[in-house]
């Protein structure tokens, strides 16, 4: 077998040297009644050529962002990835290494994580960043756990403007009983400050943390200053979930005065990959240094005084503290964190600002073109590269767009959440607006509805 | 070696995005000034070639499976086939947004559906979720499912305890505690297995479940597994299988047949997906039929017309543990691997992994101590030989010396129940020649320990840095580069 290379005569020789006569002898300690004859259905391994063909066929069955302009965001973005990123991140010394427990032969990975931690601290304006988390959602959930433990309070306030996927993850983690949530409603796509203040007044010293997503799920920019001031007023921690590319233009969590910054690092050079692997990041103030979950790399010296890097503060971690650990995280998303670092190195600070700026410009252009076409918007708050447009029938609208080779936006109730990156061109936006207009106002929608009444749906017509 | 930030040269990065012909916008109008970032980004500027050289140099200071044998116990560092890397990078998998309409992602959904079936088949389980991103994440998810089950039966309030053997991986107690459970430790007996008497004493109406690795972290099969299962179930608890050691039994025995109700696998161990220097992994969770309603949502389902869909309508689901559907790219690699093996290959991989471990164990019998010297599974635990008059050359020194021979050290000082533990897991992907060379190195180090102990104590000798001052790193944490860039 390809991946168990010892040929049969060698296997026989090894068995003899081990004092056994057959491979079955290796499993005499497994009770007879649970020993398996063979897995069903029986199948032979595929040759590399046929396995590859099968995989390519499955891949071809998906539409990709290469085939169609895509206006989906909602936590995962089609940003440009410089060619050099994959060449570096694909190096097998990085890909096939384990967690750097042996620092003498892992300095490359340790230094890269140290550089990544530095980059995240600088982007977010925070003091300490860990080596990465699973995703933006679980990073936020862990931040909630950490807040409850630090403040010895239970309630975490979750805005209705939070990415619903994140909200569900937080809710699932809250099932542990380690913290509980209250939802703060929205108004015009922003946190309802009146409701926030009322809850803070009512719950006061029970509030562990307030969560702010910036830009929020709808793409809008929250009134962060007021939210954090109110949060500090009751002695709670503020957790900001941020977008790393947006931070090139927007005020950082550190500048706003947040205690914890989390987010998803996918936009930094990581392929969308149908939702993962991406990375979550987490950064905190100095005060929370010993509370942060996950791996940390620190600088030290070797026995000859040379600067070197090592996993540190491991007393917080599961393999030392077991049930008293600050979290159970072990494997994280190291290679994705490396990808983020490599991306930042190749685009540089100017490239990152350009990516944010170009995304904002094309989003502004799309918004004004949609407005000219007669569309209204769900909110009129400031936004960066994503906004929600009112649409009568979002699902059917997306189907219609797809017929014209466009992957539309994220479906909301009575609207589409449209995201724009530096990859979207003026021509693509013009087409989007043209077909959206055609569907909403031009009778294309009605034509479809009539078809459906006749028993033929849009996809059947395709 | 200089840090990326120390190689910063202002103006040296020429990467630019194309400027589009768009109407001018006035940032003052489109983005209120209160939102503008004031502090500089502080990111370094490097030319493309210098950035490439920096990271290439870093890669040369790392050690992966492609560099040499990695007998890291409990981590299953087998060879990661290149086919998986190729497949995960196909545009049809890599450049796909997770929220695209399902009719545009049928290939991705089919892969997830088929992989879940394969994993079910291998484990003797009924349904799988691919959502958890790593082993520990899978553990937490599995324990949440156990909790949801007890809650559904109205027993959650009184079942507050998860049992964990003293030999368990550290993630087991940490994961259960993270989900809000109290931990009660079950002792091992002198044969390194779960002590049945102690288990009986620790079981009770307050127990929600037992987490078990089989074979356990000593590499020993829990021969009483059926009795353990019976006792746990009789007490109303569920049995959780930590799949970190699945490589030792796949194709030969199935956790589902042993009585396990919930399992997690580590695709980055058993199913040959790379570890990436600490992730991404993937920790799918499988359950028996009666627990299926509690799986995280959405679940991939087959539709009446033969297509695939995402089912979000799962009222009893624990919810979500990760954004979107898990580490899909890792699932692609695992799928490629299982496709290449087939049922036959799955079993053969397991048999060879166990043979390789026993082969090394036998060859080292005279040079190392074996706390429990019997047939092992995919890994074994030994210790440096007790020498007359003692020795101050410890396990750590032996591990560091192995680096000089071109090997990644084994797992050391784990499991905690063995003094000076050295935990060796060769995996099936190593050839006999490679194993013989490793054995020779281990023997040589045992000899040096007796004859030239200082050589071992000063190891490693040829690395870019010597042993590190870890106390200093923890006492005075420097976790980022502090200097501003000019």
């Amino acid at each position: 077998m390809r991946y168990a290379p010892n040929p049969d005569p060698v296997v026989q020789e090894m068995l003899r040297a081990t004092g056994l006569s057959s491979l079955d002898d290796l499993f005499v300690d497994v009770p007879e009644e649970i020993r398996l004859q063979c897995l069903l259905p029986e199948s032979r391994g595929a040759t590399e050529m046929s396995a590859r063909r099968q995989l390519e066929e499955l891949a071809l069955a998906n539409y990709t962002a290469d085939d169609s302009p895509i206006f989906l965001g909602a936590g995962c973005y089609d940003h440009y990835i410089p060619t050099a990123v994959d060449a570096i991140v694909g190096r097998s010394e990085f890909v096939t290494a384990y967690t750097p427990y042996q620092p003498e032969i892992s300095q490359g990975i340790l230094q890269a994580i140290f550089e990544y931690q530095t980059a995240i601290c600088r982007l977010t304006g925070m003091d300490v960043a860990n080596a990465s988390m699973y995703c933006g959602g679980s990073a936020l959930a862990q931040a909630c756990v950490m807040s409850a433990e630090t403040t010895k309070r239970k309630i975490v306030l979750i805005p209705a403007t939070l990415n619903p996927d994140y909200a569900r993850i937080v809710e699932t983690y809250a099932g542990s009983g380690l913290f509980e949530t209250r939802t703060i409603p929205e108004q015009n796509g922003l946190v309802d400050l009146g409701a926030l203040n009322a809850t803070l007044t009512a719950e006061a010293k029970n509030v562990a943390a307030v969560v702010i997503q910036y830009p929020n799920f709808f793409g809008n920019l929250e009134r962060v200053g007021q939210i954090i001031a109110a949060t500090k007023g009751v002695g709670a921690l503020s957790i900001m979930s941020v977008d790393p590319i947006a931070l090139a233009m927007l005020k950082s969590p550190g500048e706003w005065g947040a205690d914890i910054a989390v987010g998803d690092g996918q936009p930094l050079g990581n392929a969308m990959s149908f939702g993962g692997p991406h990375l979550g990041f987490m950064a905190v103030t100095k005060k929370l240094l010993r509370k942060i979950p996950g791996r940390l790399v620190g600088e030290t010296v070797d026995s000859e005084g040379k600067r070197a890097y090592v996993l540190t503060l491991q007393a917080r971690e599961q393999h030392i503290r077991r049930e008293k650990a600050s979290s159970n995280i072990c494997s994280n998303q190291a290679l994705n964190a490396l990808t983020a670092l490599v991306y930042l190195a190749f685009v540089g600070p100017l490239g990152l600002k350009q990516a944010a700026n170009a995304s904002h410009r094309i989003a502004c252009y799309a918004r004004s073109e949609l407005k000219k076409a007669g569309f209204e918007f769900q909110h009129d708050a400031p936004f960066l590269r994503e906004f929600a447009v009112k649409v009568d029938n979002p699902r059917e609208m997306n189907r219609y767009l797809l017929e014209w080779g466009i992957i539309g936006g994220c479906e909301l109730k009575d609207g589409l959440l449209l995201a724009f990156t530096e990859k979207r061109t003026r021509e693509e936006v013009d087409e989007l607006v043209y077909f959206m207009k055609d569907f909403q106002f031009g009778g294309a929608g009605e034509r479809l509805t009539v078809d459906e009444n006749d028993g033929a749906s849009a996809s059947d017509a395709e | 070696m200089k840090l990326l930030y120390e190689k910063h040269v202002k103006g040296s990065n020429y990467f630019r995005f194309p400027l589009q012909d768009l109407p001018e916008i006035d940032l003052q109008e489109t983005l209120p000034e209160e939102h503008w970032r004031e502090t500089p980004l502080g990111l370094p500027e490097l030319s493309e070639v210098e950035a490439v050289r920096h990271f290439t140099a870093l890669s040369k200071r790392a050690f992966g499976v492609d560099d040499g044998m990695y007998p890291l116990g409990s981590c299953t560092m087998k060879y990661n086939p290149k086919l998986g890397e190729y497949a995960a990078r196909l545009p049809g998998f890599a450049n796909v947004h997770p929220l695209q309409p399902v009719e545009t992602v049928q290939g991705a959904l089919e892969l997830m559906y088929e992989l879940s079936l394969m994993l079910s088949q291998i484990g003797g389980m009924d349904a799988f979720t691919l959502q958890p991103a790593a082993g520990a994440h899978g553990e937490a998810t599995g324990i949440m499912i156990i909790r949801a089950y007890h809650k559904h039966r109205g027993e959650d309030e009184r079942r507050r305890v998860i049992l964990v053997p003293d030999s368990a991986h550290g993630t087991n107690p940490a994961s259960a505690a993270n989900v809000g459970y109290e931990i009660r430790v079950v002792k091992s007996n002198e044969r390194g297995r779960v002590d049945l008497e102690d288990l009986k004493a620790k079981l009770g109406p307050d127990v929600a479940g037992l987490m078990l690795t089989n074979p356990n972290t000593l590499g020993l099969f829990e021969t009483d597994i059926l009795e353990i299962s019976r006792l746990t179930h009789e007490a109303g608890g569920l049995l959780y299988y930590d799949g970190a050691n699945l490589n030792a039994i796949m194709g030969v025995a199935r956790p589902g047949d042993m009585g396990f109700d919930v399992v997690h696998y580590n695709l980055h161990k058993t199913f040959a997906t790379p570890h990436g220097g600490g992730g991404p992994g993937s920790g799918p969770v499988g359950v028996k039929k009666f627990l299926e309603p509690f799986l995280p949502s959405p679940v991939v389902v087959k539709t009446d017309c033969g297509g695939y869909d995402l089912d979000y309508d799962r009222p009893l689901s624990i919810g979500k543990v990760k954004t979107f559907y898990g580490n899909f790219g890792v699932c692609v690699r695992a799928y490629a691997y299982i496709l290449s093996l087939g049922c036959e290959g799955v079993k053969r991989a397991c048999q060879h992994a166990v043979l390789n471990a026993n082969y090394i164990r036998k060859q080292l019998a005279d040079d190392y101590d074996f706390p429990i010297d019997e047939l092992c599974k995919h890994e074994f635990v030994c210790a440096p030989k007790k020498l007359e008059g003692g020795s101050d050359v410890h396990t750590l020194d032996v591990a560091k010396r192995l680096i000089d021979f071109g090997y990644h050290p084994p797992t050391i000082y784990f499991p905690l129940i063995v003094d000076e533990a050295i935990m060796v897991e060769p995996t099936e992907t190593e050839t006999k020649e490679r194993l013989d060379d490793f054995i020779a190195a281990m023997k040589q180090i045992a000899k040096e320990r007796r004859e030239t102990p200082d050589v071992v104590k000063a190891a490693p000798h040829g690395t870019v840095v010597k042993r590190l001052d870890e106390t200093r790193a923890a006492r005075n944490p420097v976790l980022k580069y502090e200097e501003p860039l000019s």
Side-chain angles (χ1 to χ4, degrees):
Chain A
M1 201 269 286
R2 231 170 29 257
Y3 308 131
N6 285 325
D8 282 336
V10 175
V11 168
Q12 293 307 323
E13 188 190 333
M14 289 170 71
L15 281 168
R16 275 197 299 279
T18 314
L20 301 169
S21 56
S22 77
L23 286 171
D24 288 339
D25 286 355
L26 291 162
F27 299 93
V28 289
D29 50 356
V30 178
E32 194 95 44
E33 58 261 60
I34 53 170
R35 239 181 284 164
L36 210 59
Q37 284 319 302
C38 64
L39 284 170
L40 293 171
E42 253 185 286
S43 66
R44 282 180 169 279
T47 60
E48 180 180 300
M49 197 167 99
S50 73
R52 181 160 139 182
R53 205 171 274 161
Q54 288 181 59
L55 288 157
E56 285 166 345
E57 272 170 24
L58 282 175
L60 278 175
N62 303 316
Y63 285 46
T64 79
D66 301 342
D67 312 326
S68 330
I70 178 166
F71 297 92
L72 277 168
C76 181
Y77 299 88
D78 180 32
H79 282 287
Y80 181 76
I81 302 172
T83 312
V85 170
D86 206 44
I88 290 299
V89 178
R91 290 186 66 90
S92 81
E93 297 88 340
F94 290 134
V95 173
T96 68
Y98 196 71
T99 301
Y101 282 131
Q102 299 290 340
E104 296 88 347
I105 46 170
S106 310
Q107 281 302 301
I109 287 176
L110 288 160
Q111 180 173 330
I113 298 173
F114 185 83
E115 292 173 349
Y116 160 84
Q117 288 173 184
T118 304
I120 293 297
C121 286
R122 291 182 174 206
L123 271 176
T124 58
M126 305 300 284
D127 299 320
V128 184
N130 70 13
S132 79
M133 311 289 285
Y134 304 132
C135 62
S138 63
L140 176 59
Q142 286 288 347
C144 296
V145 173
M146 175 170 65
S147 301
E149 274 172 15
T150 306
T151 57
K152 310 266 183 268
R153 301 172 178 188
K154 273 258 163 125
I155 298 174
V156 178
L157 305 187
I158 305 293
T161 54
L162 177 66
N163 183 323
D165 215 24
Y166 286 26
R168 290 198 66 199
I169 295 169
V170 168
E171 215 47 67
T172 305
Y173 275 67
S176 64
L178 299 176
F179 67 94
E180 44 190 89
T181 61
R182 300 271 190 285
T183 303
I184 305 298
E186 54 105 11
Q187 205 179 27
N188 184 30
L190 295 173
V191 167
D192 181 339
L193 293 177
L196 172 70
N197 284 319
T199 310
L200 283 174
T201 309
E203 297 289 357
K205 298 289 174 202
N206 298 323
V207 179
V210 176
V211 172
I212 308 156
Q213 187 182 352
Y214 181 72
N216 70 22
F217 175 65
F218 301 108
N220 302 328
L221 304 181
E222 296 280 4
R223 290 159 292 186
V224 183
Q226 294 174 63
I227 300 174
I228 289 188
T231 304
K232 284 194 197 302
V234 299
L237 299 175
S238 38
I239 306 171
M240 283 183 77
S241 176
V242 289
D243 179 296
I245 287 200
L247 289 180
M249 289 175 81
L250 298 182
K251 205 174 263 186
S252 69
E255 288 174 297
W256 284 114
D259 300 286
I260 304 170
V262 293
D264 201 292
Q266 181 271 331
L268 303 177
N270 281 273
M272 295 189 289
S273 192
F274 201 47
H278 304 153
L279 69 143
F281 58 84
M282 182 186 277
V284 299
T285 56
K286 237 179 232 133
K287 232 172 41 193
L288 294 169
L289 160 68
R290 281 169 203 277
K291 299 284 181 189
I292 193 170
R295 299 260 147 83
L296 292 170
V297 170
E299 186 185 303
T300 186
V301 293
D302 73 355
S303 56
E304 291 173 349
K306 208 191 271 179
R307 181 173 74 174
Y309 302 91
V310 68
L311 290 173
T312 193
L313 298 178
Q314 297 192 61
R316 302 160 301 116
E317 292 191 60
Q318 46 80 23
H319 59 288
I320 310 280
R321 292 205 74 194
R322 300 177 78 85
E323 70 267 25
K324 295 193 180 64
S326 62
S327 120
N328 65 335
I329 193 166
C330 184
S331 282
N332 46 69
Q333 305 282 121
L335 198 65
N336 303 97
L338 176 73
T339 307
L341 174 71
V342 171
Y343 170 86
L344 289 172
F346 284 127
V347 301
L350 294 180
L352 191 71
K353 275 185 212 158
Q354 257 197 328
N357 215 313
S359 304
H360 179 60
R361 277 188 72 185
I362 192 88
C364 289
Y365 173 70
R367 187 153 169 140
S368 80
E369 291 300 301
L370 282 165
K371 193 172 173 188
K372 276 190 223 157
F375 280 95
E376 290 178 23
F377 302 95
Q378 291 204 336
H379 321 113
D380 61 2
F383 64 93
L384 191 76
R385 66 150 145 38
E386 206 165 6
F387 58 79
V389 57
K390 282 186 188 167
V391 166
D392 292 336
N393 191 338
R395 168 135 311 170
E396 291 306 318
M397 167 86 81
N398 265 346
R399 283 202 180 137
Y400 182 70
L401 291 173
L402 195 58
E403 279 184 41
W404 292 102
I406 297 168
I407 298 175
C410 173
E411 289 159 21
L412 306 173
K413 190 177 177 296
D414 305 324
L416 280 182
L417 180 63
L418 297 171
F420 302 85
T421 69
E422 73 286 345
K423 278 176 81 174
R424 296 290 72 82
T425 64
R426 180 177 187 149
E427 291 69 31
E428 289 170 349
V429 169
D430 289 344
E431 271 190 24
L432 172 79
V433 174
Y434 177 86
F435 289 113
M436 280 182 71
K437 183 179 172 186
D438 189 31
F439 186 82
Q440 178 95 347
F441 309 114
E446 278 162 37
R447 289 199 301 275
L448 278 180
T449 319
V450 172
D451 283 350
E452 259 183 354
N453 289 343
D454 292 341
S457 74
S459 47
D460 286 341
E462 194 176 26
Chain B
M1 185 181 153
K2 277 187 179 176
L3 290 165
L4 195 62
Y5 303 85
E6 293 165 329
K7 296 178 178 173
H8 164 76
V9 176
K10 199 171 173 55
S12 67
N13 186 329
Y14 284 90
F15 184 91
R16 297 292 180 273
F17 288 104
L19 289 177
Q20 288 203 53
D21 171 30
L22 290 171
E24 278 306 314
I25 55 166
D26 181 2
L27 271 187
Q28 298 273 5
E29 267 174 39
T30 61
L31 202 65
E33 213 173 322
E34 56 166 309
H35 292 288
W36 292 10
R37 184 180 179 109
E38 285 161 20
T39 48
L41 285 168
L43 297 172
E45 293 180 57
L46 279 83
S47 61
E48 182 170 323
V49 61
E50 281 306 319
V52 166
R53 284 181 185 146
H54 177 76
F55 290 110
T56 303
L58 287 184
S59 77
K60 289 180 177 170
R61 294 168 157 235
F63 189 96
V65 176
D66 286 6
D67 295 292
M69 183 172 151
Y70 229 108
L72 198 60
S74 252
C75 301
T76 315
M77 297 296 286
K78 58 173 79 174
Y79 169 67
N80 313 124
K82 302 300 171 197
L83 176 63
E85 296 307 303
Y86 167 83
R89 285 173 170 77
L90 288 169
F93 292 137
N95 298 346
V96 176
H97 192 287
L99 299 179
Q100 283 178 213
V102 287
E103 57 268 34
T104 69
V105 291
Q106 286 296 301
L109 293 177
E110 181 178 341
L111 187 146
M112 291 173 69
Y113 184 85
E114 289 295 325
L115 178 62
S116 300
L117 283 186
M118 289 168 168
L119 298 179
S120 294
Q121 171 63 14
I122 288 168
M125 306 306 285
D126 295 313
F128 259 86
T129 174
L130 303 176
Q131 219 177 82
H137 204 207
E139 291 175 13
T141 305
I143 297 299
M144 286 178 196
I145 289 170
I146 290 179
R147 184 174 183 149
Y149 164 79
H150 290 306
K151 197 168 181 180
H152 186 61
R153 291 161 53 95
E155 295 189 2
D156 181 41
E157 295 293 319
R158 78 176 160 95
R159 296 194 180 271
R160 300 298 321 132
V161 175
I162 291 283
L163 299 184
V164 176
D166 55 8
S167 63
H169 294 116
T171 47
N172 290 182
S175 298
N178 225 240
V179 179
Y181 276 107
E182 231 172 88
I183 307 304
R184 193 177 293 158
V185 176
V186 182
K187 275 190 263 179
S188 303
N189 62 23
E190 69 290 346
R191 291 182 55 240
R193 270 73 168 200
V194 170
D195 184 321
L196 284 184
E197 290 314 309
D198 195 51
L199 174 64
K200 282 179 201 161
K202 303 279 166 71
L203 279 168
D206 60 347
V207 170
L210 166 66
M211 297 180 87
L212 204 62
T213 312
N214 194 16
N216 64 25
T217 58
L218 289 159
L220 301 171
F221 194 83
E222 293 283 354
T223 41
D224 293 324
I225 182 61
L226 295 174
E227 182 65 1
I228 292 170
S229 163
R230 193 183 62 80
L231 291 169
T232 307
H233 287 128
E234 261 178 24
L238 297 185
L239 205 53
Y240 182 91
Y241 183 75
D242 168 355
N245 296 347
L246 181 71
N247 209 44
I249 58 162
M250 66 171 183
V252 172
R254 309 193 300 179
D257 299 335
M258 298 175 201
F260 287 96
D261 305 293
V262 188
V263 309
H264 90 261
Y265 298 161
N266 299 65
L267 297 188
H268 48 294
K269 295 180 180 176
T270 318
F271 297 99
T273 76
H275 283 73
S282 174
V285 168
V287 294
K288 290 280 176 66
K289 195 82 193 160
F290 72 102
L291 294 173
E292 196 180 349
F294 305 106
L295 285 178
S297 84
V299 170
V300 184
V301 291
K302 213 167 185 165
T303 62
D304 296 338
C305 36
Y308 300 87
D309 200 358
L310 289 164
D311 178 15
Y312 286 88
D313 182 21
R314 307 186 62 87
L316 292 179
S317 163
I318 59 164
K320 281 204 93 175
V321 294
K322 192 188 169 295
T323 47
F324 308 115
Y325 327 115
N327 282 341
F328 174 75
V330 180
C331 296
V332 171
R333 292 168 171 89
Y335 180 80
Y337 177 70
I338 300 176
L339 213 56
S340 304
L341 257 55
C343 291
E344 201 185 13
V346 164
K347 182 171 183 176
R348 197 172 161 92
C350 163
Q351 290 171 323
H352 283 218
V354 174
L355 176 61
N356 287 358
N358 279 287
Y359 178 73
I360 300 177
R361 181 178 65 84
K362 278 287 183 190
Q363 308 301 312
L364 293 181
D366 295 335
D367 300 274
Y368 289 82
D369 285 339
F370 286 79
I372 296 162
D373 192 16
E374 54 179 275
L375 182 70
C376 67
K377 293 275 83 64
H378 65 310
E379 66 191 3
F380 62 84
V381 175
C382 64
K385 224 174 173 52
K386 290 216 168 48
L387 298 180
E388 250 177 75
S391 164
D392 65 344
V393 183
H394 296 286
T395 284
L396 181 70
D397 307 309
V398 173
K400 297 297 183 195
R401 183 67 177 136
L402 264 174
I403 294 173
D404 293 331
F405 289 88
Y407 291 96
H408 190 283
T411 295
I412 51 174
Y413 300 110
F414 186 82
L416 309 174
I417 55 173
V418 173
D419 276 346
E420 296 280 314
I422 300 177
M423 189 191 209
V424 177
E425 179 181 7
T427 84
E428 72 280 7
T429 58
E430 300 301 332
T431 61
K432 176 174 175 292
E433 293 70 27
R434 182 69 64 188
L435 300 179
D436 286 337
D437 190 63
F438 173 73
I439 290 161
M442 287 291 281
K443 283 174 179 279
Q444 171 68 21
I445 295 169
K447 184 165 173 255
E448 288 176 354
R449 187 165 167 264
R450 292 189 303 269
E451 295 171 3
T452 50
D454 289 348
V455 174
V456 188
K457 285 211 66 88
H461 297 276
T463 46
V464 290
V465 294
K466 299 279 184 190
R467 290 199 207 178
L468 304 191
D469 187 347
E470 301 195 13
T471 316
R472 170 178 162 146
R475 197 163 289 164
N476 176 29
V478 178
L479 305 173
K480 64 176 197 291
Y481 180 69
E482 298 284 356
E483 300 302 314
L485 301 179
S486 53

